[in-house]
Amino acid sequence: MNLARFPRIRLGHMPTPLEPMENLSRALAGPDGGPNLWVKRDDCTGLSTGGNKTRKLEFLMADARNQGADLVITQGATQSNHARQTAAAAAKLGLDCHLLLEDRTGYTDAAYTQSANVMMDKLHGAKVSRRPGGADMQAEMEALADKYRAEGRRPYVIPGGGSTAIGALGYVNAAQELVTQASDMGLRIDHVVHATGSAGTQAGLVAGLVGLNSGIPVLGIGVRAPREKQEASVLALAQRTADHLGLPPGTIRAEHVRANCDYVGQGYGIPTQGMADAVKLVAEKEGILLDPVYSGKGMAGLIDLVRRGHFKPGENVVFIHTGGAVGLFGYPQAFDLPADAAA
Ligand SMILES: Cc1ncc(COP(=O)(O)O)c(C=O)c1O
């Protein structure tokens, strides 16, 4: 797979580190030991505090530029990491950016509605407009794009999460990077686990890892949709991505796509106790910050699966840290932190 055939603008710090999480592995090991947990630090991609969208945006923004765009429109939840990284990429490339933020949680506190990612959207100079929960966000973006076109502008519309066959190339790139790192280190990777939402990350990883004949299975921990729906959208996008890459038809099959959506809780963006415990444990054991909406729930799933013996002792499990820690500041109420100590 020669990704150099596809237009790309370098935006991120790559390759991202692949590191052992020895303390977390030890903390979760049972009497017979446990898996070796590793983390691929895609929270360190650099652009506006980093995260998984940077990889997708390298390919999407190149497409926008090739189409002569002068403005980028995208959408996400109020605390969207994708919106924040898109705003940053647009700023760096001298494009205007208009974000449509959907109220998926109903939270009205200022921390959620104005701080964290929303604050950064505005620091990067993006225009922010709000839409109610359940709005048809793709239609809202198209209507906004039509308005701009009528004014003589050339908007480029990025679907939620940047999850198109072009955006998913960013995670084909991550798959190549991971396989190269692992072979350089002599590391046999038995499983890759990460949080899955709009499907582009998992679709790109699956297309890349299957296309490379790596034999490494990917498990997506869902943050919104039920399992059947999530697996169907990942499969469809992985197949479109494989087509875009020119892989032979039939390369990506249903058995390559696995999601576990048991850790969503009450809904998208609504904190769970498992997420809060996972964020705290990883912060304390590894000095790594996860996020409340995606990587925290993804890690809650990984921790629970380790405790249930889903992975064999000695297996190497790589968690892709997809970023989003900025979102912690939008959810101060989700963590039961101690009062200041008297000294
Ligand atoms: C921090 C973080 N992790 C994971 C995801 C999920 O990635 P995808 O939407 O490609 O499934 C997102 C998407 O917004 C995210 O912001």
Side-chain angles (χ1 to χ4, degrees):
M1 286 181 303
N2 178 12
L3 283 179
R5 291 179 293 138
F6 299 97
R8 174 178 175 193
I9 297 173
R10 306 288 163 144
L11 296 169
H13 302 172
M14 292 161 207
T16 57
L18 174 61
E19 299 169 340
M21 294 193 284
E22 288 169 2
N23 298 334
L24 184 65
S25 304
R26 252 194 312 275
L28 297 177
D32 301 327
N36 304 312
L37 303 178
W38 293 74
V39 59
K40 176 133 176 83
R41 299 293 306 270
D42 272 16
D43 57 320
C44 298
T45 52
L47 183 71
S48 182
T49 77
N52 61 339
K53 305 307 171 183
T54 306
R55 290 187 186 271
K56 300 180 182 184
L57 286 162
E58 291 197 327
F59 292 92
L60 290 163
M61 292 309 245
D63 191 44
R65 192 174 254 177
N66 286 349
Q67 294 192 21
D70 61 0
L71 164 80
V72 171
I73 296 173
T74 198
Q75 61 95 1
T78 303
Q79 283 296 335
S80 167
N81 302 298
H82 163 68
R84 182 234 321 147
Q85 286 165 91
T86 303
K92 186 166 169 62
L93 299 176
L95 302 174
D96 288 337
C97 180
H98 196 146
L99 304 171
L100 295 184
L101 300 184
E102 179 189 359
D103 174 17
R104 290 190 202 156
T105 63
Y107 294 158
T108 54
D109 57 297
Y112 184 77
T113 60
Q114 297 296 341
S115 181
N117 281 295
V118 182
M119 177 183 175
M120 294 194 174
D121 296 341
K122 294 182 179 180
L123 283 174
H124 290 307
K127 270 192 193 156
V128 171
S129 303
R130 313 281 176 149
R131 295 291 184 271
D136 179 342
M137 295 300 283
Q138 188 61 33
E140 293 290 333
M141 287 199 296
E142 294 302 340
L144 185 63
D146 284 345
K147 222 170 107 217
Y148 277 115
R149 280 187 204 102
E151 293 167 8
R153 302 293 304 270
R154 295 186 304 282
Y156 182 84
V157 176
I158 300 179
S163 288
T164 65
I166 293 175
L169 292 179
Y171 269 86
V172 174
N173 181 38
Q176 287 186 329
E177 200 178 287
L178 182 63
V179 167
T180 305
Q181 281 173 318
S183 48
D184 287 352
M185 295 161 76
L187 176 71
R188 185 203 68 237
I189 298 177
D190 298 298
H191 303 270
V192 164
V193 178
H194 68 94
T196 182
S198 68
T201 301
Q202 191 171 359
L205 284 171
V206 167
L209 291 173
V210 174
L212 289 168
N213 197 23
S214 70
I216 301 173
V218 181
L219 176 66
I221 307 289
V223 298
R224 191 176 189 189
R227 183 172 64 81
E228 294 73 22
K229 192 171 172 203
Q230 188 66 23
E231 288 184 344
S233 58
V234 173
L235 177 61
L237 184 53
Q239 288 174 334
R240 287 204 302 281
T241 307
D243 286 348
H244 192 52
L245 282 165
L247 292 173
T251 301
I252 308 297
R253 299 185 299 278
E255 76 223 41
H256 295 129
V257 176
R258 286 288 168 265
N260 180 328
C261 299
D262 295 346
Y263 304 93
V264 176
Q266 282 175 24
Y268 173 89
I270 312 283
T272 61
Q273 192 57 49
M275 175 283 292
D277 293 345
V279 168
K280 192 92 193 333
L281 186 66
V282 174
E284 288 183 351
K285 295 291 177 198
E286 296 294 338
I288 291 174
L289 294 172
L290 301 168
D291 86 282
V293 180
Y294 295 94
S295 51
K297 286 187 179 175
M299 181 58 81
L302 174 57
I303 289 172
D304 188 55
L305 291 171
V306 171
R307 287 186 171 138
R308 287 167 182 268
H310 179 85
F311 306 105
K312 295 191 190 75
E315 282 192 326
N316 293 305
V317 180
V318 175
F319 181 75
I320 313 258
H321 186 341
T322 44
V326 164
L328 289 170
F329 299 103
Y331 284 86
Q333 80 292 352
F335 301 92
D336 188 19
L337 300 176
D340 296 353

